[in-house]
Amino acid sequence: MLRSLPPLNALKAFEAAARSESFTRAAEELNVTQGAVSHQVKALEGILGLKLFNRERQRLVITEAGREYLAVVRDALDRIAVGTERLVQRQTSGVLTVSTSPDFAAKWLVNRLGRFAEAHPDIDLRVSATIQQVDFAREDVDLAVRHGDGHWAGLDAVRLCSEQLFPVCAPKLISGRNRITKAADLLKFPLLRLEDWKNWSRWFEAAGVTATPVPGPTLNRASMLIDAAVDGQGIALARTALAAWDLINGRLVKPVDVSLRLSNTYWIVCPKATSVLPKITAFREWLLAEAADDMRRLKALNS
């Protein structure tokens, strides 16, 4: 619904003149001419259809209607000033609120937060893990890490990493007599799956193995799937980003070197208007550095 509002400059001129009871002092405060203040007040009186001031013996005297309107205008300007100050403080202060999925938070982000805190002690990082996609216009969130194709209207999006899908398991699961030498050997183990058999079917097809669905636990969160694999409960298909920490630290291994390339991956997103704020730039650069380090270490493991 459109609001019928007088010009802001006219309201500022009226409030300053009413407070100081002088067009001259109001002009000095607003850094304009006395004539400009007088013109703005007259224009406001014309819009309202009533007199806001009387001139008595070269004095500026506010009318009863003007006094009543002053209370409204002053309250509105005070609210705008307070709201503006809060917004500016939120953008420039040390608080940085990040939204991401529970899977990314649990398997990628949480284990690294100590390093970020050490590198940026002036930033108060707050992580909100949710399956809901954040609405930057309505929620008090500065930046998000989203999984998708990178196309979100009105947002600045930077790709965190490229991803593949591959089998992982605990080293103990395939030790000794349980050694795996080829893709078909995976069918001897419980195959953990995310909601359905579709990804496993695609992977076995890429590996050149004809496989029908086999029994195995079905979970609805990728982080749960990886944790079950770490615990030795079976073999899981995992994305690069979510499995990286456990692979690098030896809790998981890749039993077979066959991977599916994925088009969707993780992206660092924020409103374009705030993308260059120092705290957002610092966190984005840290995320990218961590992801790049993961890729180097994973490449070293594979070689």
Side-chain angles (χ1 to χ4, degrees):
M1 181 178 177
L2 292 176
R3 294 182 174 90
S4 179
L5 297 174
L8 180 59
N9 282 340
L11 295 175
K12 289 168 62 180
F14 162 67
E15 192 274 338
R19 179 164 30 82
S20 62
E21 296 183 334
S22 168
F23 284 164
T24 301
R25 287 193 291 271
E28 292 173 353
E29 177 183 325
L30 299 174
N31 198 29
V32 296
T33 66
Q34 179 182 352
V37 172
S38 177
H39 175 76
Q40 291 285 2
V41 170
K42 286 181 181 179
L44 183 58
E45 289 177 328
I47 293 171
L48 299 175
L50 51 82
K51 286 186 68 65
L52 298 172
F53 296 100
N54 289 321
R55 293 165 180 79
E56 299 178 3
R57 299 177 183 178
Q58 296 185 336
R59 285 182 59 233
L60 193 64
V61 179
I62 190 168
T63 64
E64 188 62 33
R67 197 176 304 281
E68 181 179 340
Y69 194 46
L70 174 61
V72 175
V73 172
R74 180 174 292 171
D75 179 67
L77 293 177
D78 286 345
R79 287 174 180 267
I80 292 172
V82 170
T84 301
E85 184 178 359
R86 286 177 179 170
L87 180 62
V88 170
Q89 285 181 347
R90 186 175 73 84
Q91 299 300 336
T92 59
S93 70
V95 176
L96 178 68
T97 302
V98 176
S99 173
T100 188
S101 69
D103 288 334
F104 186 83
K107 301 309 299 179
W108 197 97
L109 185 58
V110 169
N111 295 315
R112 309 164 192 261
L113 291 182
R115 292 209 288 263
F116 180 78
E118 184 177 352
H120 300 279
D122 55 326
I123 295 179
D124 179 10
L125 182 64
R126 302 179 184 182
V127 178
S128 173
T130 174
I131 61 173
Q132 302 300 323
Q133 198 169 92
V134 64
D135 183 347
F136 288 100
R138 297 178 179 272
E139 299 177 53
D140 190 17
V141 171
D142 299 294
L143 178 144
V145 178
R146 289 183 180 175
H147 195 267
D149 59 8
H151 299 297
W152 293 285
L155 297 180
D156 178 82
V158 177
R159 189 173 71 168
L160 180 67
C161 61
S162 59
E163 285 203 292
Q164 295 180 327
L165 188 72
F166 46 80
V168 294
C169 64
K172 64 182 180 181
L173 189 70
I174 55 173
S175 61
R177 296 180 180 179
N178 294 327
R179 184 180 177 189
I180 292 176
T181 59
K182 57 185 182 298
D185 291 342
L186 269 63
L187 294 169
K188 303 174 185 177
F189 297 86
L191 299 181
L192 308 170
R193 66 198 73 183
L194 189 64
E195 296 182 344
D196 57 38
W197 177 256
K198 183 171 60 177
N199 283 338
W200 272 117
S201 179
R202 289 175 54 218
W203 185 86
F204 276 117
E205 182 179 353
V209 176
T210 301
T212 56
V214 297
T218 300
L219 305 167
N220 72 339
R221 302 292 328 164
S223 54
M224 294 164 57
L225 198 74
I226 294 172
D227 286 343
V230 169
D231 194 49
Q233 297 181 33
I235 300 174
L237 284 176
R239 299 197 302 266
T240 306
L242 299 187
W245 186 263
D246 290 309
L247 285 168
I248 290 168
N249 288 281
R251 288 184 290 271
L252 289 176
V253 294
K254 295 171 65 174
V256 177
D257 191 20
V258 177
S259 301
L260 296 177
R261 186 172 296 278
L262 300 175
S263 56
N264 286 355
T265 186
Y266 285 101
W267 297 76
I268 309 164
V269 300
C270 68
K272 290 182 178 180
T274 60
S275 63
V276 296
L277 287 177
K279 63 180 181 180
I280 289 180
T281 299
F283 191 68
R284 183 194 299 116
E285 291 178 351
W286 176 79
L287 289 172
L288 292 172
E290 285 287 321
D293 185 58
D294 280 359
M295 293 303 106
R296 287 191 294 268
R297 297 171 74 176
L298 289 174
K299 186 176 180 179
L301 283 177
N302 292 336
S303 62

